[in-house]
Amino acid sequence: MKLSDEIINSLSINLRKKINNIKDSSVNIEEIRLRINKPMIINGDSKDYFYDNINNCLDLNIKNPYIVTKEDIEETFQLICRYSVHSFMDDIKKGFITLRGGHRIGIVGKVIIENGQVKNIKHISSLNIRVSREIKGCSKKVLPHVIKNKNQINNTIIISPPQCGKTTLLRDIVRNISTGNKSYGFNGVKVALIDERNEIGGSYLGAPQLDVGIRTDILETCPKDLGIMMVLRSMSPDVIVTDEIGDEKEIKALYTALNGGVSLITTVHGDSIEDVRNRRELKRLLDGDLFKKVVILSSKRGPGTVEKIYDLQEKRWYFAD
């Protein structure tokens, strides 16, 4: 385990000492969960570990757990905001703040609503520190199916259960189709990335912290249906990429892009094609002529691991292994 200085220095002094105590652990930390008056939980390798406050180590069992205090939360929140909460208010309203390096901090507490919109989140009760990592090359088995010819791609949908690495896989696909890939004779195309939750590019002050390729234009923290229409009008993309498509407005925007001659790559939550087809708003994605390739991620192996691929037009399965 090696956490970036950006994450460590964003923790309260008390929590920072505890994290430094376990820096030699072999656990691949994915999340640090802080909840007031609850044990500090560190998620790694798809398991929840508890910080043992006596032995200063991680343990899968709750033996001597460190209980997160209100002061831990408050100090960490102030450090994340660089002691200027007002400067980060636009991000706070969306429920997360992105650190340098692309790491995302989820925020919950008392939500203040005004005119039907979130005005603020006060009395912060939980923080979820999500460690951002790139796995370059994880799309290797998918690229031959995504790439159509030297300058075109197939419309592709990635189906994945939660926390199985769909965003990691999507990022690596974007990097390859944007920069180009000599192995497949692919020259690289203009990509418009609608990064609504700022997870794919992990932009910090407008600059992507993660590698999404040299021909990628990013519209961050913008609703997908609005973002798709914006980039169609202004950025002349060859490909539009989004994460976690879902409602009717977003799907309508996808069809508008398709009719404009733009290729599409997106993801949805699900366990299988049948699972997605059982949801009315998503059924038309797989039953129409919108997508050609469907990538299914594994829930049992590492992040971004492809289990199988389905060609909707040929009605044929391709197994990744």
Side-chain angles (χ1 to χ4, degrees):
M1 177 210 78
K2 181 174 175 56
L3 290 177
S4 71
D5 290 341
E6 189 67 30
I7 290 178
I8 293 173
N9 293 335
S10 295
L11 297 170
S12 70
I13 293 175
N14 184 37
L15 295 176
R16 199 178 306 166
K17 291 177 180 177
K18 298 184 183 304
I19 292 297
N20 281 328
N21 284 336
I22 57 170
K23 64 182 179 181
D24 295 327
S25 169
S26 61
V27 175
N28 182 32
I29 295 180
E30 298 163 10
E31 293 181 342
I32 301 173
R33 307 298 296 245
L34 307 175
R35 303 175 175 97
I36 288 181
N37 299 328
K38 297 293 190 295
M40 178 169 68
I41 297 178
I42 294 176
N43 181 273
D45 305 318
S46 301
K47 298 176 182 178
D48 282 342
Y49 291 86
F50 300 91
Y51 181 81
D52 187 318
N53 206 32
I54 292 179
N55 298 306
N56 298 319
C57 64
L58 297 180
D59 199 317
L60 289 170
N61 301 308
I62 306 181
K63 293 180 179 178
N64 311 292
Y66 175 73
I67 304 301
V68 177
T69 67
K70 181 180 179 181
E71 291 72 26
D72 287 328
I73 296 285
E74 289 178 347
E75 184 181 346
T76 300
F77 181 62
Q78 289 294 332
L79 285 165
I80 290 167
C81 296
R82 299 186 174 186
Y83 293 96
S84 179
V85 173
H86 178 75
S87 300
F88 287 83
M89 191 53 66
D90 287 343
D91 291 332
I92 292 169
K93 290 176 184 178
K94 297 181 179 73
F96 63 88
I97 293 173
T98 303
L99 299 177
R100 189 188 301 275
H103 312 291
R104 199 177 68 162
I105 316 296
I107 304 164
V108 297
K110 182 177 181 179
V111 177
I112 308 300
I113 302 292
E114 186 176 279
N115 298 323
Q117 301 293 323
V118 176
K119 182 182 178 182
N120 194 4
I121 301 178
K122 301 174 70 175
H123 308 306
I124 308 301
S125 58
S126 297
L127 297 171
N128 177 23
I129 302 169
R130 300 188 66 178
V131 180
S132 177
R133 286 193 178 93
E134 295 178 287
I135 304 180
K136 291 187 176 182
C138 67
S139 65
K140 184 177 181 180
K141 294 178 180 178
V142 176
L143 286 176
H145 298 273
V146 173
I147 292 171
K148 186 175 183 180
N149 54 46
K150 66 179 182 180
N151 55 17
Q152 287 183 309
I153 67 151
N154 290 311
N155 296 329
T156 304
I157 186 167
I158 300 168
I159 299 175
S160 169
Q163 292 189 302
C164 287
K166 67 184 182 307
T167 302
T168 301
L169 176 65
L170 186 62
R171 182 186 303 119
D172 198 55
I173 292 173
V174 171
R175 179 179 65 85
N176 277 278
I177 65 173
S178 171
T179 300
N181 190 304
K182 292 182 178 179
S183 299
Y184 300 102
F186 190 74
N187 297 329
V189 293
K190 293 178 291 183
V191 179
L193 175 59
I194 316 301
D195 200 0
E196 183 171 5
R197 298 194 300 175
N198 200 20
E199 286 187 300
I200 307 169
S203 295
Y204 178 78
L205 300 179
Q209 303 293 291
L210 304 168
D211 188 355
V212 289
I214 63 173
R215 297 179 181 88
T216 300
D217 302 302
I218 304 174
L219 202 57
E220 59 178 287
T221 66
C222 178
K224 289 181 280 290
D225 57 318
L226 298 178
I228 290 169
M229 303 310 296
M230 289 172 66
V231 297
L232 278 175
R233 291 191 293 264
S234 62
M235 301 308 294
S236 66
D238 297 310
V239 182
I240 291 178
V241 177
T242 75
D243 202 1
E244 297 184 12
I245 210 75
D247 65 32
E248 289 289 346
K249 291 188 297 182
E250 294 168 353
I251 294 170
K252 183 178 179 181
L254 288 182
Y255 272 98
T256 300
L258 183 66
N259 290 333
V262 178
S263 299
L264 304 168
I265 303 177
T266 190
T267 71
V268 297
H269 279 302
D271 295 313
S272 63
I273 289 178
E274 293 72 24
D275 181 24
V276 174
R277 279 201 173 116
N278 286 332
R279 283 176 271 170
R280 181 182 59 82
E281 69 278 8
L282 295 176
K283 186 175 186 294
R284 63 186 294 205
L285 294 180
L286 300 179
D287 290 346
D289 57 358
L290 183 56
F291 289 96
K292 176 175 173 57
K293 299 286 186 173
V294 180
V295 177
I296 311 292
L297 294 196
S298 172
S299 60
K300 299 177 182 178
R301 289 178 282 179
T305 303
V306 179
E307 183 173 310
K308 50 191 176 181
I309 298 166
Y310 186 69
D311 190 305
L312 287 165
Q313 295 176 13
E314 297 177 4
K315 301 188 184 305
R316 174 185 174 185
W317 283 105
Y318 297 85
F319 291 86
D321 292 338

